[in-house]
Amino acid sequence: MIHEMKRDLVIIGGGPAGLSAAAAARQAGCDDVLLIERDRILGGILNQCIHDGFGLHRYGEALTGPEYAQRHIDEINELDIETLMGTIVLSMDRERNLTVSSRKGYTRIQAGAVVLAMGCRERTAGAISLPGTRPSGIYTAGAAQNFINLQNIMVGRRAVILGSGDIGLIMARRMTLEGAKVEAVFEILPYASGLPRNIQQCLNDYDIPLHLGTSVIEVHGKDRLTGVTVAEINNFKPLPGTERFVPCDTLLLSVGLIPENELSSEASVRLETRTSGAFVDDTFMTSVPGVFSCGNVLHVHDLVDHVSEEASLAGQFACRYLEGDISSEPRPIEIAPNDGVRYVLPQQASGESDFTLSLRVTEPFRNRAVWVRDGDRKVARKKLVRLHPAEMIRVKIRKDKLENAKKLEVSVE
Amino acid sequence: MTAYDVLIIGAGVVGNAIARELSRYRLKVGVLEKELDVGMGTSSRNSGVLHSGIHYTPGTLRARLNVQGNEMMKGLCRDLKVKIDYIGKLTVAQDQVDIETLEALKTQGEINGVPGLEIIDRDKMEQIQPGVGGIRALFSPTTGIICPYGLTIALADNAHENGARFHLGAKVTGISKTETCFKVKTDESGSFESKLLINAAGLYSDAVCRMLGLGEYTIYPCRGEYLILDKRLNGSLKVLVYPAPRKGGAGLGIHLTNTVDGNILIGPSNEYVDRADDYACTADVIDQLKREGRELLPAISTSDFIRGFSGLRPKQTPPEIKGFKEFVIENRKDIPGFINLVGIESPGLTCSPAIALMVRDMVGEALPLKEKDHFVAERNGFPGLFHDLPEEEKADLVAQDPDYGEIVCRCEHITKREILNAIENPLGSKTLAGIKYRARAMMGRCQGGFCMPRIVQILEQDYGYRPEDYRLYSSNSYLFTGRVR
Ligand SMILES: Cc1cc2nc3c(=O)[nH]c(=O)nc-3n(C[C@H](O)[C@H](O)[C@H](O)COP(=O)(O)OP(=O)(O)OC[C@H]3O[C@@H](n4cnc5c(N)ncnc54)[C@H](O)[C@@H]3O)c2cc1C
Ligand SMILES: Cc1cc2nc3c(=O)[nH]c(=O)nc-3n(C[C@H](O)[C@H](O)[C@H](O)COP(=O)(O)OP(=O)(O)OC[C@H]3O[C@@H](n4cnc5c(N)ncnc54)[C@H](O)[C@@H]3O)c2cc1C
């Protein structure tokens, strides 16, 4: 038998995004909020991030991931928000009918509004078509983090890290602290993709070399990994003569995160190729009326503080949508990236209220400004000393600058 | 020392099909497999196509066994609950010369006994596969797709249930022949005796021959690499589409093949290698597959490649000669009791049930074939795939067994019950790869990033695994080095 249920607001995912959205929606006046999390505990990816550095912006102190999550969980409990844990949303359609599964059974839920907060997953060896054999000892950095931090299991003794994403950097330090030898971090791009702070604290402080413009070109080992061949990369091809063999028993991959939008696609939510996340307006509503998106499922964040902030807004807007306060008409203003900008969010705005743009640059810059223009008209400008693809940049947009605006273009100049 | 009536070396699809066939009779049947699970060789590393039999010269073993195997597979897969789908195939002509090739293929297929062949025009082609190129096509309705490792495992499970014994991790290192029996030595599993000995060792069948002093066979491994595409593209291909073979073309060329689970394979490449265990994927071929794959299916995007793998064809012809040589399936008169199978390359998967019948008859020449009273043809204890059931039925199953409600693999929605079933497999395989091939966990787009930590946890909590106990597939492919200090 399949149970049936009707709820005002359903939030999918109990990481910091889902938790913040739930709390904010309740505080904004929505009484009927249901939060669904497939794991047995709330907190999302934060549970395995036992290092500190979370919450500097939001709480002014350096918390560990679980501590940061706990603050959100306490809030949820104080607000008495209903949560279903160990429950996975299996499917969702355009009319916001969800099917969920748990040990208790199958339930169909018809939701008045939905907040998508499913987080992201890691790119794998297969996804980057890593040449060579298929031995054991190759892990995504996040999976290794799970084994080490949540299960007390050590994945290897001598590691190479491919990709300089934050999780890889954190894991370089973690492996070292656990007595493993980390040979090096190899990054195919000419700059690191993780935060400068993590390069300093996780690599430099432990004398772990970072080789830029270099990648693993072959994996060796029939049973367990025995080593990797690395080479300098020029125009996506190995530079002849630069190949060398690095012996190791473990290869950790930190080669990118992909928003988990399978459910969104199923519900025909329009996705953006640049972010792999939903196309949203300044209320975080997607192309499907009543469906909102925030956190890592919308775009991959570097700071959890920003996730919480963004998700709070999404939760509030979802609540206002349920009150009939937000229309699902297309918004008049389009927002698009231009020179030097990889992506910008939201992609549409109504122009009726202030909002914040989130964006990432295409490559590192120094002493430049982010310009937001409507044709020739300046809408906003933010001067920055250091602009780095690893760091999300946020720019406030004031509604009084948006009169008759049609298309905002965002560039680095 | 364990004594058998029939001992089979190699638990690939061929060895297992033979074991299953022989398990109908009152014989003591044993199977020796060097790997820690069945089907870790060629049988899990191929296109998974059930060929129709149009491509093989009439009168050859390959032609006969292919048509017979294809026909037998229907009932076999029903009994064994193996995924199979006779989706059909279009062999496409681009010009007049190709059309003549199609005519010849059709005639050849008909002589081989392939049913339902038809040369069709553009309209009909378009109906069968919208958007397909070419001017004419040969449609073969009996071409299908099958889960190759699913079949290999199912045959073994069923043989096991009917009394055949599988010795995993038993690598045959030496064989001696006495008046009455064969004495077979393994590296770590002791010695075995058997009246009859069957060589189904695939890529190592020549090595097994040499153990008996037969030097006439040499296997030349020829690698075929593949890329697996994301399920997002499921539905792009309704049938299999191959170009008409051209003179000088090697094999069937690189093409797209749908799998029974809704992925698409690009491949296989064709390259001789030195070692029969060289399953590497190479940068150049990966690039080539991506390029040619995109030409065949422009909708493929960079994020659609989820994994690569390779298989090795056990060829009897060296690189200088290429081409094919007839399967060797012989009852050696010079070594009485030795049944020898060499060079079972494509379409060996399709042929496997028919090969088993042929070998059974050879066994029957030496030993009486008395049927058992209680042969179980259907695979028990395997409920089929939960995922494919209608939602209502799934909900009912969850009510009976909450482990069906807990999703462990998010990409393929594999439940904890299915993981537990895979862990408790009848053959006693204990590797992570064994769980993967049985439950399909770790095979989706995140490649185990999500579910592997959960499966490791289940093995620790419910089965008492220590960190040192986990293996990916072989005894040296350990996953962990110990506890965090
Ligand atoms: C390894 C790592 C290290 C980091 N380090 C830092 C740091 O040092 N400092 C910092 O500020 N930020 C850091 N971050 C960033 C920050 O933690 C993340 O951006 C933030 O956790 C994202 O929150 P989220 O809620 O969007 O996603 P998640 O935390 O991933 O939560 C998503 C939740 O949704 C659930 N879910 C998904 N699909 C379904 C479904 N179908 N049904 C039910 N539930 C579902 C998941 O189980 C998960 O719990 C780090 C991130 C990672 C991954
Ligand atoms: C790239 C490729 C694509 C193919 N595509 C298709 C297709 O689409 N359709 C089709 O019908 N066929 C196809 N085939 C052919 C098919 O896969 C094979 O014919 C079939 O799998 C052979 O099965 P097998 O049992 O003989 O060999 P294997 O599966 O290799 O089994 C042999 C077993 O013997 C074991 N063994 C070896 N030596 C020893 C020893 N000393 N002691 C103990 N055990 C030992 C091995 O470990 C192995 O498990 C393809 C093959 C390849 C390579």
Side-chain angles (χ1 to χ4, degrees):
Chain A
M1 197 197 86
I2 304 181
H3 311 275
E4 305 274 343
M5 195 193 269
K6 232 179 140 112
R7 304 302 295 253
D8 286 349
L9 178 58
V10 173
I11 290 169
I12 309 177
L19 293 167
S20 307
R26 165 60 57 88
Q27 279 160 340
C30 180
D31 290 332
D32 182 22
V33 181
L34 176 66
L35 179 85
I36 301 177
E37 166 58 48
R38 64 184 169 200
D39 230 323
R40 264 172 254 180
I41 49 169
L42 296 170
I45 200 70
L46 292 177
N47 288 313
Q48 65 182 59
C49 304
I50 60 169
H51 55 283
D52 73 356
F54 296 83
L56 285 167
H57 293 242
R58 195 174 172 94
Y59 299 112
E61 42 182 321
L63 306 171
T64 64
E67 285 169 345
Y68 186 96
Q70 196 55 48
R71 297 210 175 184
H72 277 313
I73 297 169
D74 290 344
E75 197 179 16
I76 289 284
N77 290 336
E78 276 157 33
L79 291 168
D80 210 16
I81 290 170
E82 190 188 341
T83 53
L84 289 179
M85 283 174 273
T87 304
I88 187 167
V89 179
L90 290 175
S91 66
M92 168 172 150
D93 68 14
R94 235 189 119 76
E95 277 67 50
R96 301 181 301 277
N97 296 300
L98 317 183
T99 307
V100 309
S101 169
S102 76
R103 299 184 63 87
K104 295 209 189 78
Y106 270 51
T107 310
R108 276 200 203 104
I109 307 176
Q110 152 57 215
V114 171
V115 175
L116 305 171
M118 291 93 73
C120 56
R121 64 162 181 272
E122 297 176 282
R123 286 180 77 201
T124 64
I128 59 169
S129 302
L130 204 57
T133 51
R134 299 283 177 269
S136 65
I138 303 176
Y139 296 96
T140 58
Q145 189 178 44
N146 183 307
F147 286 125
I148 295 176
N149 291 349
L150 296 180
Q151 307 197 47
N152 282 318
I153 294 175
M154 199 51 193
V155 295
R157 298 197 180 89
R158 191 170 180 186
V160 158
I161 299 188
L162 175 59
S164 58
D166 284 309
I167 318 176
L169 303 177
I170 302 270
M171 287 312 291
R173 176 174 66 186
R174 189 80 182 102
M175 293 284 287
T176 308
L177 292 174
E178 286 307 326
K181 169 99 181 84
V182 176
E183 295 292 336
V185 176
F186 297 99
E187 167 59 57
I188 194 166
L189 295 173
Y191 52 86
S193 52
L195 294 170
R197 154 183 118 188
N198 284 336
I199 305 277
Q200 183 57 42
Q201 294 173 2
C202 300
L203 301 187
N204 299 353
D205 290 358
Y206 294 84
D207 293 326
I208 299 168
L210 166 64
H211 300 283
L212 298 173
T214 309
S215 190
V216 170
I217 59 164
E218 192 176 354
V219 168
H220 305 273
K222 187 169 113 50
D223 302 295
R224 175 80 187 193
L225 183 69
T226 55
V228 295
T229 303
V230 301
E232 287 172 28
I233 303 293
N234 188 3
N235 213 351
F236 301 103
K237 289 269 171 239
L239 208 61
T242 65
E243 302 92 348
R244 70 188 164 97
F245 179 78
V246 183
C248 58
D249 65 10
T250 307
L251 175 64
L252 299 188
L253 300 172
S254 181
V255 292
L257 299 169
I258 306 165
E260 269 208 78
N261 274 301
E262 283 73 25
L263 276 179
S264 326
S265 304
E266 221 181 297
S268 64
V269 165
R270 173 174 170 198
L271 301 180
E272 249 251 42
T273 37
R274 292 192 193 89
T275 55
S276 303
F279 187 98
V280 291
D281 66 17
D282 54 334
T283 70
F284 298 96
M285 186 148 80
T286 66
S287 64
V288 176
V291 176
F292 297 76
S293 176
C294 58
N296 277 355
V297 77
L298 178 59
H299 59 137
V300 176
H301 291 66
D302 40 284
L303 289 182
V304 68
D305 310 63
H306 293 155
V307 170
S308 302
E309 197 180 317
E310 174 180 291
S312 300
L313 289 170
Q316 286 164 21
F317 285 120
C319 178
R320 284 178 51 193
Y321 170 84
L322 286 165
E323 289 164 355
D325 231 15
I326 294 177
S327 83
S328 35
E329 296 296 300
R331 313 292 176 220
I333 305 172
E334 204 186 308
I335 306 167
N338 209 326
D339 293 348
V341 176
R342 187 156 68 82
Y343 74 79
V344 57
L345 277 175
Q347 293 93 341
Q348 270 183 3
S350 64
E352 284 156 22
S353 45
D354 296 354
F355 64 96
T356 303
L357 290 179
S358 298
L359 62 105
R360 282 185 198 270
V361 293
T362 52
E363 64 208 274
F365 298 104
R366 281 192 149 270
N367 297 316
R368 301 281 174 87
V370 175
W371 276 84
V372 183
R373 285 199 182 82
D374 169 31
D376 297 335
R377 180 160 63 124
K378 168 181 147 189
V379 173
R381 189 174 86 119
K382 182 168 187 170
K383 275 176 84 169
L384 292 160
V385 177
R386 217 185 51 202
L387 300 87
H388 199 279
E391 292 176 279
M392 200 171 78
I393 297 171
R394 292 156 29 111
V395 181
K396 274 223 143 41
I397 304 291
R398 302 221 326 257
K399 70 170 180 210
D400 49 314
K401 301 272 188 188
L402 294 177
E403 248 171 78
N404 297 323
K406 285 231 158 42
K407 180 169 184 180
L408 304 189
E409 292 196 299
V410 186
S411 56
V412 175
E413 286 162 31
Chain B
M1 197 184 294
T2 325
Y4 287 108
D5 293 320
V6 185
L7 193 56
I8 301 164
I9 305 175
V13 72
V14 171
N16 294 355
I18 295 169
R20 195 252 180 188
E21 191 53 42
L22 295 179
S23 73
R24 292 175 190 276
Y25 305 97
R26 289 183 211 166
L27 296 170
K28 280 190 80 179
V29 178
V31 183
L32 303 180
E33 170 53 56
K34 69 179 165 66
E35 301 297 330
L36 298 180
D37 202 350
V38 302
M40 298 302 290
T42 313
S43 298
S44 56
R45 302 164 165 278
N46 54 60
S47 304
V49 173
L50 205 57
H51 289 292
S52 65
I54 54 175
H55 287 289
Y56 311 112
T57 314
T60 60
L61 272 180
R62 291 209 301 172
R64 174 166 74 78
L65 297 172
N66 183 313
V67 176
Q68 191 187 0
N70 179 302
E71 168 67 29
M72 288 174 73
M73 213 58 101
K74 199 178 285 174
L76 187 63
C77 288
R78 188 192 52 230
D79 286 349
L80 300 183
K81 295 173 179 145
V82 174
K83 280 191 163 188
I84 186 170
D85 197 351
Y86 287 88
I87 56 176
K89 173 173 112 172
L90 292 177
T91 306
V92 175
Q94 302 293 351
D95 56 28
Q96 198 52 43
V97 179
D98 283 350
I99 292 182
E100 281 157 30
T101 308
L102 294 189
E103 301 279 2
L105 273 180
K106 179 165 180 274
T107 311
Q108 174 167 293
E110 281 162 352
I111 297 173
N112 290 344
V114 181
L117 294 175
E118 200 185 335
I119 291 191
I120 58 173
D121 61 13
R122 281 250 18 120
D123 284 354
K124 189 95 190 282
M125 287 165 71
E126 192 63 33
Q127 268 172 30
I128 292 176
Q129 175 66 53
V132 68
I135 55 173
R136 285 269 203 298
L138 174 61
F139 182 58
S140 51
T142 56
T143 304
I145 51 177
I146 185 169
C147 180
Y149 38 86
L151 175 65
T152 306
I153 292 167
L155 287 164
D157 280 358
N158 190 244
H160 169 86
E161 191 176 356
N162 286 300
R165 283 198 55 193
F166 285 78
H167 301 270
L168 303 177
K171 178 177 176 180
V172 174
T173 51
I175 305 169
S176 58
K177 171 98 171 78
T178 68
E179 278 291 293
T180 51
C181 71
F182 292 88
K183 285 193 161 49
V184 178
K185 258 198 345 230
T186 67
D187 56 348
E188 283 170 5
S189 305
S191 297
F192 299 84
E193 260 183 33
S194 181
K195 291 179 190 148
L196 303 188
L197 185 67
I198 299 176
N199 176 11
L203 290 158
Y204 296 91
S205 51
D206 56 342
V208 170
C209 284
R210 281 194 291 275
M211 291 179 202
L212 278 161
L214 294 177
E216 64 214 69
Y217 299 113
T218 308
I219 294 290
Y220 303 91
C222 178
R223 187 164 60 200
E225 293 183 38
Y226 295 88
L227 291 176
I228 309 175
L229 294 178
D230 195 287
K231 277 188 166 174
R232 186 183 77 83
L233 298 160
N234 189 11
S236 322
L237 282 182
K238 302 217 169 350
V239 295
L240 300 174
V241 181
Y242 292 51
R246 297 233 165 124
K247 280 220 168 58
L252 297 174
I254 287 172
H255 49 265
L256 303 176
T257 306
N258 0 17
T259 71
V260 284
D261 293 302
N263 298 89
I264 292 178
L265 304 177
I266 308 178
S269 57
N270 210 310
E271 177 201 5
Y272 280 89
V273 293
D274 294 333
R275 295 177 53 103
D277 61 356
D278 185 356
Y279 291 119
C281 294
T282 57
D284 289 345
V285 174
I286 291 170
D287 286 348
Q288 179 200 356
L289 294 180
K290 287 186 173 176
R291 211 174 41 243
E292 298 193 16
R294 282 213 178 92
E295 281 169 20
L296 295 166
L297 184 63
I300 299 173
S301 83
T302 354
S303 57
D304 287 327
F305 302 102
I306 65 172
R307 191 191 169 87
F309 70 93
S310 69
L312 299 173
R313 303 171 182 87
K315 286 209 157 293
Q316 296 184 72
T317 44
E320 317 81 76
I321 297 178
K322 295 203 181 69
F324 299 98
K325 210 163 160 185
E326 176 69 317
F327 289 166
V328 173
I329 303 176
E330 55 183 8
N331 198 352
R332 292 291 296 213
K333 298 292 174 247
D334 52 341
I335 310 175
F338 182 54
I339 298 172
N340 192 27
L341 289 80
V342 181
I344 312 295
E345 52 165 305
S346 196
L349 175 68
T350 313
C351 296
S352 54
I355 293 176
L357 289 187
M358 197 173 154
V359 169
R360 176 204 60 189
D361 292 344
M362 291 177 175
V363 169
E365 290 172 23
L367 296 174
L369 294 178
K370 286 203 211 87
E371 285 197 30
K372 286 178 186 160
D373 295 334
H374 302 290
F375 173 71
V376 185
E378 283 180 31
R379 187 169 172 214
N380 284 332
F382 182 77
L385 275 183
F386 179 74
H387 190 72
D388 298 332
L389 298 176
E391 221 165 54
E392 296 286 344
E393 268 176 57
K394 286 190 203 168
D396 290 343
L397 276 173
V398 178
Q400 290 163 28
D401 180 354
D403 285 332
Y404 274 121
E406 190 175 330
I407 304 287
V408 176
C409 155
R410 67 174 165 202
C411 302
E412 304 286 316
H413 291 175
I414 306 297
T415 67
K416 182 165 181 191
R417 169 50 53 206
E418 293 166 284
I419 302 286
L420 297 177
N421 288 345
I423 294 172
E424 293 169 16
N425 64 82
L427 300 177
S429 151
K430 290 195 163 35
T431 63
L432 271 279
I435 296 172
K436 161 175 148 171
Y437 284 131
R438 286 173 178 79
R440 220 187 130 63
M442 301 176 277
M443 286 189 138
R445 52 172 71 95
C446 95
Q447 289 287 299
F450 180 80
C451 65
M452 191 160 92
R454 281 155 181 80
I455 292 169
V456 164
Q457 199 174 21
I458 293 173
L459 286 168
E460 175 174 332
Q461 287 174 356
D462 299 356
Y463 299 89
Y465 274 47
R466 292 161 304 153
E468 300 78 13
D469 296 336
Y470 297 89
R471 294 291 175 276
L472 184 56
Y473 66 96
S474 59
S475 41
N476 290 325
S477 66
Y478 61 92
L479 283 175
F480 307 117
T481 52
R483 289 256 164 239
V484 168
R485 57 183 186 191

